[in-house]
Amino acid sequence: FDAVRAATEGRPFDAALLLSNASLEYRIWSCHRPMPALARNADGDELLFVHEGTGNLFCDFGHLAYREGDYILLPRGTMWRLEPGARTVLLMIEATNGSYRLPERGILGPHAIFDPAALETPKLDEAFRGQAGEREWRVEIKRLGQLSVVTYPFNPLDAVGWKGNLAPVKLNWRDIRPVVSHRYHIPPSVHSTFVADRFVVCTFVPRPIESDPGALKVPFFHSNDDFDEVIFYHQGEFFSRDNIKPGMVTFHPNGFTHGPHPKAFEAGKKAAKTMTDEVAVMVDARDPLEFGKAAEAQEDRSYALSWSVKR
């Protein structure tokens, strides 16, 4: 389905719900003007992925400038707002009643995939100090899916310092260095970027295609027996799919066999390309996901037939 076409304006907590279960809410949101109120999610950590746009995020930890391709991880309870410099489209992935952590890297070492030094935290800079003031501000708090409002006679984003190891962080996909093998198509779990209790978030970035003559050069066919698989296509041409454009999402429920499309499979056998160029965000959810009305309204119902050579 076309996720970007489903994106709604307004408050972040009114963003179009695409997929969900008890541990995960998967939404798409569009913002083109400064938020008039602060948002605070008490239901779980919020992960934002910037599909389009640039601007500034202000929160009670400071200021972060953002651009296309950024992940912004907001711990539960963070107060925040956006001041877009250009229309911003955000994929929003809530870890409901849970939190995010970085994946274990095992024998690859702690600097594999991306260096922790690439994680940027908010700054108490001039931009942050300049947005403080005495005018009234509302904070919209989401708890159990319902909104409550706290009103301050001043801007509560007025921190003078903070201490600890829990804070919002920003990571751009361009800082991710994928694990690759010239002889073996590595399964997607190696591309995990953030891990929650009942799902993982993986990032596919450009990488060399397997060069060994006998190596499989596209994903293997599989049945997703343990996970629901969701892929958001950010940019480029996804090497295992056909007729997929940026801003679309594919949803493969567990138990449904799938793999590379026929055209992609044939192209892989010819080994004409030496690099992939796609950027995509994948969620593997351990529990079944419900299909939201916003996704259903944008669904390409012929997608299930796209593995047919006769299509």
Side-chain angles (χ1 to χ4, degrees):
F1 56 89
D2 192 327
V4 170
R5 286 187 63 184
T8 54
E9 298 279 353
R11 301 179 299 186
F13 297 137
D14 293 332
L17 181 63
L18 303 175
L19 298 157
S20 64
N21 61 27
S23 305
L24 166 65
E25 287 194 353
Y26 189 92
R27 298 177 179 269
I28 192 86
W29 179 49
S30 175
C31 180
H32 69 279
R33 59 169 63 98
M35 289 169 55
L38 299 168
R40 186 175 196 176
N41 192 344
D43 284 337
D45 285 7
E46 192 87 69
L47 181 64
L48 312 178
F49 179 77
V50 183
H51 176 58
E52 297 177 16
T54 59
N56 296 287
L57 179 143
F58 297 96
C59 65
D60 38 5
F61 292 82
H63 161 242
L64 280 172
Y66 67 83
R67 61 169 174 151
E68 164 272 319
D70 279 338
Y71 284 107
I72 303 174
L73 174 55
L74 300 170
R76 185 198 304 222
T78 301
M79 290 189 292
W80 62 278
R81 66 181 181 88
L82 296 186
E83 286 190 2
R87 178 177 180 262
T88 296
V89 177
L90 294 171
L91 184 67
M92 306 176 69
I93 308 172
E94 176 190 289
T96 306
N97 200 30
S99 59
Y100 286 102
R101 57 190 180 275
L102 299 182
E104 293 292 332
R105 294 171 173 85
I107 59 174
L108 290 174
H111 299 282
I113 307 175
F114 60 85
D115 194 311
L119 294 172
E120 186 177 340
T121 54
K123 295 178 174 59
L124 299 170
D125 53 17
E126 288 301 321
F128 179 74
R129 288 187 286 271
Q131 58 89 49
E134 297 301 318
R135 80 170 179 87
E136 185 177 278
W137 276 91
R138 291 160 47 93
V139 182
E140 296 174 343
I141 303 168
K142 184 170 83 74
R143 171 62 177 160
L144 297 178
Q146 296 181 326
L147 292 186
S148 299
V149 176
V150 173
T151 302
Y152 288 85
F154 58 89
N155 184 348
L157 303 185
D158 59 355
V160 295
W162 55 271
K163 180 179 173 65
N165 58 6
L166 179 67
V169 294
K170 183 181 73 171
L171 175 72
N172 194 278
W173 68 260
R174 295 168 180 84
D175 293 316
I176 295 175
R177 301 168 297 193
V179 177
V180 298
S181 168
H182 71 291
R183 301 190 65 191
Y184 169 55
H185 184 81
I186 300 176
S189 53
V190 77
H191 304 299
S192 296
T193 310
F194 300 100
V195 178
D197 293 335
R198 302 293 292 176
F199 66 93
V200 299
V201 178
C202 305
T203 312
F204 300 134
V205 301
R207 61 168 180 83
I209 292 177
E210 294 78 11
S211 58
D212 188 288
L216 185 68
K217 297 175 176 59
V218 288
F220 32 77
F221 289 92
H222 55 287
S223 296
N224 279 28
D225 289 329
D226 297 314
F227 293 86
D228 275 9
E229 175 196 288
V230 182
I231 302 180
F232 176 83
Y233 300 86
H234 172 54
Q235 69 178 44
E237 181 180 349
F238 203 69
F239 72 111
S240 66
R241 292 285 176 270
D242 188 25
N243 297 319
I244 295 293
K245 65 181 182 180
M248 297 187 78
V249 167
T250 56
F251 171 42
H252 301 129
N254 65 324
F256 286 79
T257 302
H258 70 282
H261 278 140
K263 288 182 181 179
F265 191 78
E266 290 302 316
K269 286 197 299 185
K270 294 176 182 176
K273 294 179 66 174
T274 59
M275 288 283 295
T276 67
D277 66 354
E278 84 272 5
V279 179
V281 176
M282 185 180 82
V283 170
D284 267 353
R286 185 65 183 84
D287 306 304
L289 291 162
E290 296 288 337
F291 205 53
K293 292 181 179 179
E296 188 174 355
Q298 301 298 334
E299 182 184 5
D300 176 3
R301 295 181 181 273
S302 67
Y303 177 70
L305 305 177
S306 59
W307 278 269
S308 171
V309 177
K310 296 179 181 180
R311 187 191 183 199

